[in-house]
Amino acid sequence: MISYILRRLLLIVPTLWVIITVNFFIVQSAPGGPVEQAIAEAEGLNTNMAMERITGTAAGESGTDEQKPGKSGTAYRAARGLSPETIAEIEKRFGFDKPIHVRYLEMLKNYLIFNFGDSLFKGRSVMGLIIDRLPVSISLGIWTTLLVYLVSIPLGIAKAVKNGSPFDRWSSAVVVFGNAVPSFLFAVLLIIMFAGGSYLKIFPLRGLVSTNWSELSLGMKIVDYFWHLVLPLTAMLVGGFASLTLLTRNSFLDETGKQYVLTARAKGLSSRRVLIGHVFRNAMLIIIAGFPSALISMLFTSSLIIETLFSLNGLGLLGFEAVMQRDYPVIFGTLYIFSLLGLLVNLISDLMYTIIDPRIDFEGRSL
């Protein structure tokens, strides 16, 4: 097992390199980068004050109508009316005065020591932004995943045990509803109903804690924290429990039809003992082993719209804002962290199989 873990850890390096490299050249070649946006803003405002804010220096007089290429050799369509010196200053500020291969090699060197640089638009280090946004994403990810498992596993087992009963039929209607209704649509309904939208104003609409949170006692801090999470977690729970419930149900139904279960029942074992002693471990193998990947999915990919609706500044919203602004350091920094965590979680998921069922051995398996 040790050799398998080492092989998987070594495989992370080239995999992460390919992910970063492909995304770097795709994003860098896409139109509408930070230089183009700064030029368009400067041209739209057309004031010395605007150029001082963008370039950090006083703007020169307007040049000719047709703009010459800057130091990078790129001609910008939005650069009419700006002097070549101004364009070069903008390029230098955003780091685009260097060729793309030089920027790529510098990025790889910095990322080896987890130096992601500074945001182009937020004026802070990328790592600082990620650390500040982590509490929101961790709160949504961990609590949503735990709630989804606590609801879905008992419900799925009950549906499998009572397969074909009225309980199975009406609970299937609830599962279909949860699978059909997007979490953001349910979040809007919750806001309208319980957050002062049109009816009741029971739950807060913004933030993870109240503005006076630091002045509250420890017990009230905990209550205030969970009070703010009620609506976001409810919305994400409704959108996430359906697939796991069906997976649990189908997994248990598949196991109950196997020969070893029939043999155990033929020996006179009670249904409860067969379920707990024989079926449970085998049926839960794929479900429990998938917990780490489910957590990462909830942590980084499933909460973007929820964060936006409830004004929660998490990693999902940070990544979205970075893409819209073409904030390359934030884009690549968050991508690097997400990819690294995803690869590590895949390894943890594989190891979970061996913990749950020691009969599974990855030692002789080829990668």
Side-chain angles (χ1 to χ4, degrees), residues 183-193 235 305-306 309-310:
S183 59
F184 74 89
L185 187 61
F186 193 72
V188 173
L189 177 62
L190 291 176
I191 291 173
I192 295 174
M193 296 295 296
I305 301 179
I306 300 299
L309 289 174
F310 291 98

Side-chain angles (χ1 to χ4, degrees), residues 203-249:
F203 299 99
L205 181 59
R206 291 178 170 273
L208 194 61
V209 293
S210 299
T211 55
N212 63 334
W213 190 76
S214 59
E215 303 172 2
L216 301 176
S217 63
L218 178 60
M220 291 304 298
K221 285 182 178 179
I222 296 175
V223 172
D224 182 75
Y225 167 74
F226 283 105
W227 198 245
H228 281 75
L229 283 175
V230 169
L231 295 186
L233 291 182
T234 303
M236 294 182 68
L237 174 63
V238 170
F241 86 100
S243 58
L244 184 60
T245 299
L246 294 177
L247 177 62
T248 305
R249 174 184 179 273

Side-chain angles (χ1 to χ4, degrees), residues 150-305:
L150 288 175
V151 172
S152 300
I153 291 176
L155 180 58
I157 295 175
K159 286 174 64 62
V161 172
K162 301 179 180 181
N163 184 38
S165 66
F167 169 80
D168 183 36
R169 289 193 292 270
W170 69 256
S171 60
S172 294
V174 176
V175 171
V176 170
F177 172 80
N179 194 41
V181 178
S183 59
F184 74 89
L185 187 61
F186 193 72
V188 173
L189 177 62
L190 291 176
I191 291 173
I192 295 174
M193 296 295 296
F194 302 109
S198 298
Y199 297 94
L200 303 176
K201 191 175 182 180
I202 302 176
F203 299 99
L205 181 59
R206 291 178 170 273
L208 194 61
V209 293
S210 299
T211 55
N212 63 334
W213 190 76
S214 59
E215 303 172 2
L216 301 176
S217 63
L218 178 60
M220 291 304 298
K221 285 182 178 179
I222 296 175
V223 172
D224 182 75
Y225 167 74
F226 283 105
W227 198 245
H228 281 75
L229 283 175
V230 169
L231 295 186
L233 291 182
T234 303
M236 294 182 68
L237 174 63
V238 170
F241 86 100
S243 58
L244 184 60
T245 299
L246 294 177
L247 177 62
T248 305
R249 174 184 179 273
N250 294 336
S251 180
F252 271 80
L253 286 178
D254 182 62
E255 290 295 325
T256 54
K258 291 184 177 180
Q259 185 62 43
Y260 75 92
V261 176
L262 299 178
T263 302
R265 287 176 175 170
K267 291 181 179 180
L269 297 179
S270 64
S271 298
R272 180 181 180 84
R273 186 173 178 182
V274 170
L275 179 66
I276 297 176
H278 295 77
V279 175
F280 187 82
R281 187 178 68 175
N282 294 328
M284 291 298 294
L285 178 61
I286 189 174
I287 299 169
I288 297 178
F291 182 85
S293 58
L295 174 60
I296 290 295
S297 176
M298 289 290 183
L299 194 62
F300 296 126
T301 62
S302 300
S303 58
L304 169 59
I305 301 179

Side-chain angles (χ1 to χ4, degrees), residues 285-286 289-290 348-358 360 362:
L285 178 61
I286 189 174
I348 295 174
S349 296
D350 284 348
L351 297 179
M352 289 287 290
Y353 284 103
T354 62
I355 295 174
I356 298 171
D357 190 347
I360 298 177
F362 291 106

